[in-house]
Amino acid sequence: MAIVEINDLKKIYEGGFQALKGVTLEIGEGEILALLGPNGAGKTTLISVLCGLVSPTGGHARIGGYDIVANYREARQLVGLVPQEIALEPFTKVIDAVRFSRGLFGLKRDDAHIERILKQLSLWDKRNNRTMQLSGGMKRRVLIAKALAHEPRVLFLDEPTAGVDVELRRDMWETVAQLKADGVTIILTTHYIEEAEAIADRIGVINKGALLLVEDKTALMERMSSKELRISLRAPVQSVPEALAGYGLDLADDGETLVYTYDTKGEGTGITALLADLASAGLKLADLKTNQSSLEDIFVGLTTDKAEDAA
Amino acid sequence: MNWSAVWTIYTAEMTRFFRTFVQSFISPVISTSLYFVVFGTAIGSRIQEVEGVSYAAFIVPGLIMLSVMTQAISNASFGIYFPKFTGTIYELLSAPINFFEIVLGYVGAAATKALFIGLVILATASFFIDLQIAHPFAMVAFLLLTCLSFALFGFIIGIWAGNFEQLQLIPLLVLTPLIFLGGAFYSITMLPDIWQKLSLFNPVVYLISGFRWSFYGAADVPIGLSLLAIAGFTGACLLIIGWIFKSGYRLKP
């Protein structure tokens, strides 16, 4: 069931910049969606509209069935936001900052819940420190703790690991996995492909305010694990010989090249058999070349293609 | 209504106030004492009675108004400007609260602090002079309304300000002169005719005059006008805040 439904959401900023060009997207309860895109793609604007920081210019969005504008109280009650920039009152103690967040959401003070969150995020020992005394990574965790203080069902993480070192990034991924285990739906933005790969269930690619693709990570990974073997022939052929029909070969370069697609993760690639059959079919090979399509290729291809279309 | 959120904002603001409690408490006590030493004793002894009371007693309402107005403005403007400056405003905007509740929290806290300072000055003054309050209910009402309206005004400044300089600009350039020229330390009837007339364009005159009336029963302008002035000022601030929140001015693109 979709907990976040976004329908043709648009945002045009004062001055005419169109940050969102009609985004439509559904996010299922309990899933982790990574929004991947370059800087200025509209990731933060999308999150900001959904969380109430920015007013939408057109379209609708619902969270848990509540419209984000008409029923903003009910919608926001379900949502926690971890912003991209670290923003904390410097003189406030960690525990007070987290309690403050819970209070803003209209909930009674619950020390047991706060303690659980702070322990989960390894902040319990620092609970009486002022936020300005914490390291950057700790501050980011305080932001997560604040976002979780009112027990949200949907958590937005805007670039949670931007400018964070490798170890902290792994910590963050573990935290996200833990939250997912607790049943929290997570939408995170990132421009690190490996991050999307490591923790997301689904990956959306966004650029220039448009959602270019949303796909299961495993499907994307499958595309990524497929490889191409390009076989250049000494003499061009009119069609794929009968004997090779079982390999699903494609013809390219006016019959001078045969293209064989195979799965690197499969039990066998079938290359040995193919080469043997090629020889027995009497075809002479000039060259062999293999290509791998990575998520990076897909991503770069998508974002540059569309950019060229727009230009 | 999300009363929990209002209370959360209110108590967080008050906590900041009490964190600097000593400064908050001591500085008005010291400055008021200085005013009494200088104006009340040193200079005041050479000044004849004003409107039937000693000069030291005469300046008490003006002194309270001076502090209450500046404290209400600076607390409210800083209160809402600080989250804008640190970025924590995101939390207010993404919480299930409306703008009225945000105003109630911040303005309520700023008005409380100003009221507290006003009462501290009143108490300090009672050590120096024999205080008499002719209309205690009117006095309390004027004090509360002034705290509230100037906190609203401060909130507007805090929303508008883009940096710390702008935050100081209006209190320094506009308000301080208006208060000093508004009869905090003199009766405008002491002024030459033309300045008396000009003074009537200064809204602060009506507030100080009305407040002083509640102490000594004498006023520069009719008490009805004073009430109208403070009600009008409060109304204007509320209208502007209403517009700010409707349009998302400087808060929500």
Side-chain angles (χ1 to χ4, degrees), chain A residues 19-251:
Chain A
L20 294 178
K21 296 170 182 166
V23 171
T24 299
L25 174 66
E26 284 199 354
I27 300 157
E29 178 139 35
E31 78 169 330
I32 301 181
L33 176 84
L35 284 171
L36 202 55
N39 290 323
K43 303 183 298 274
T44 298
T45 299
L46 180 60
I47 286 191
S48 299
V49 170
L50 292 175
C51 293
L53 306 187
V54 170
S55 311
T57 320
H60 296 279
R62 293 199 291 178
I63 295 172
Y66 298 107
D67 188 274
I68 56 162
V69 177
N71 305 105
Y72 69 95
R73 282 192 203 260
E74 290 85 352
R76 289 183 198 169
Q77 195 70 43
L78 304 174
V79 172
L81 167 65
V82 181
Q84 188 172 344
E85 304 284 336
I86 289 173
L88 288 166
E89 293 229 356
F91 305 106
T92 309
K93 285 180 188 169
V94 170
I95 195 159
D96 291 336
V98 180
R99 279 187 190 137
F100 177 82
S101 303
R102 188 175 167 88
L104 274 189
F105 280 77
L107 298 180
K108 281 209 183 74
R109 183 169 156 166
D110 180 349
D111 287 339
H113 176 67
I114 303 283
E115 183 177 340
R116 201 158 49 237
I117 296 174
L118 290 179
K119 282 186 172 160
Q120 187 182 350
L121 292 163
S122 325
L123 284 170
W124 184 244
D125 295 337
K126 305 272 182 191
R127 64 188 180 280
N128 287 320
N129 286 39
R130 303 203 185 284
T131 58
M132 62 180 177
Q133 298 169 312
L134 301 179
S135 67
M138 285 284 186
K139 283 180 184 158
R140 218 172 263 277
R141 279 190 226 169
V142 175
L143 290 180
I144 297 181
K146 281 167 76 70
L148 294 174
H150 63 282
E151 301 158 59
R153 282 167 60 203
V154 183
L155 185 67
F156 289 94
L157 293 161
D158 197 0
E159 308 251 350
T161 59
V164 164
D165 67 33
V166 179
E167 200 177 331
L168 269 174
R169 184 173 304 168
R170 302 233 167 258
D171 273 8
M172 193 67 69
W173 294 353
E174 271 172 36
T175 307
V176 168
Q178 234 172 39
L179 292 171
K180 181 188 159 73
D182 294 343
V184 181
T185 306
I186 294 164
I187 293 106
L188 66 99
T189 69
T190 180
H191 50 240
Y192 300 115
I193 287 160
E194 52 156 347
E195 179 158 286
E197 258 183 66
I199 53 180
D201 299 319
R202 272 202 308 162
I203 295 174
V205 178
I206 187 169
N207 193 33
K208 309 224 167 193
L211 198 60
L212 306 178
L213 158 142
V214 191
E215 215 170 297
D216 269 355
K217 182 182 67 179
T218 38
L220 264 180
M221 296 295 280
E222 260 166 36
R223 276 215 241 166
M224 217 180 62
S225 66
S226 76
K227 270 185 106 166
E228 267 181 8
L229 174 66
R230 298 179 77 90
I231 305 157
S232 303
L233 303 173
R234 282 198 186 275
V237 291
Q238 293 298 318
S239 60
V240 179
E242 283 282 307
L244 304 173
Y247 293 102
L249 297 175
D250 292 317
L251 273 182

Side-chain angles (χ1 to χ4, degrees), chain A residues 11 13 51-55 72-73 76-77 81 83 86-91 100-101 103-107 143 146, chain B residues 1-2 4-5 8-9 12 16 19 82-83 86-88 90-98 101 106 251-253:
Chain A
K11 175 63 192 178
Y13 283 107
C51 293
L53 306 187
V54 170
S55 311
Y72 69 95
R73 282 192 203 260
R76 289 183 198 169
Q77 195 70 43
L81 167 65
I86 289 173
L88 288 166
E89 293 229 356
F91 305 106
F100 177 82
S101 303
L104 274 189
F105 280 77
L107 298 180
L143 290 180
K146 281 167 76 70
Chain B
M1 275 295 283
N2 185 347
S4 156
T8 301
I9 295 172
R16 204 177 51 225
R19 203 156 49 213
F82 198 52
T86 56
T88 52
Y90 84 88
E91 209 177 7
L92 292 173
L93 295 175
S94 63
I97 49 179
N98 65 21
E101 289 152 0
Y106 280 102
L251 276 183
K252 190 171 173 177

Side-chain angles (χ1 to χ4, degrees), chain A residues 226-288:
Chain A
S226 76
K227 270 185 106 166
E228 267 181 8
L229 174 66
R230 298 179 77 90
I231 305 157
S232 303
L233 303 173
R234 282 198 186 275
V237 291
Q238 293 298 318
S239 60
V240 179
E242 283 282 307
L244 304 173
Y247 293 102
L249 297 175
D250 292 317
L251 273 182
D253 303 333
D254 296 327
E256 285 183 8
T257 308
L258 291 171
V259 182
Y260 173 57
T261 311
Y262 62 98
D263 186 358
T264 52
K265 291 183 178 161
E267 285 181 10
T269 58
I271 294 175
T272 320
L274 173 65
L275 291 181
D277 286 348
L278 277 172
S280 51
L283 295 173
K284 299 234 182 299
L285 311 185
D287 197 8
L288 290 175

Side-chain angles (χ1 to χ4, degrees), chain B residues 5 10 33-34 41 47 75 104 109 119 123 126 170 174 181 189 230 253:
Chain B
Y10 182 86
S33 306
L34 285 174
T41 317
I47 299 176
N75 280 313
L104 214 56
L119 294 176
S126 67
I170 289 186
V174 182
L181 299 176
T189 53
I230 187 114

Side-chain angles (χ1 to χ4, degrees), chain B residues 31-47 55-57 59 63 180 185:
Chain B
S31 63
T32 312
S33 306
L34 285 174
Y35 275 114
F36 279 116
V37 170
V38 175
F39 290 117
T41 317
I43 299 176
S45 58
R46 294 163 185 247
I47 299 176
Y55 185 66
I59 62 171
L63 262 181
F180 273 85
F185 300 107

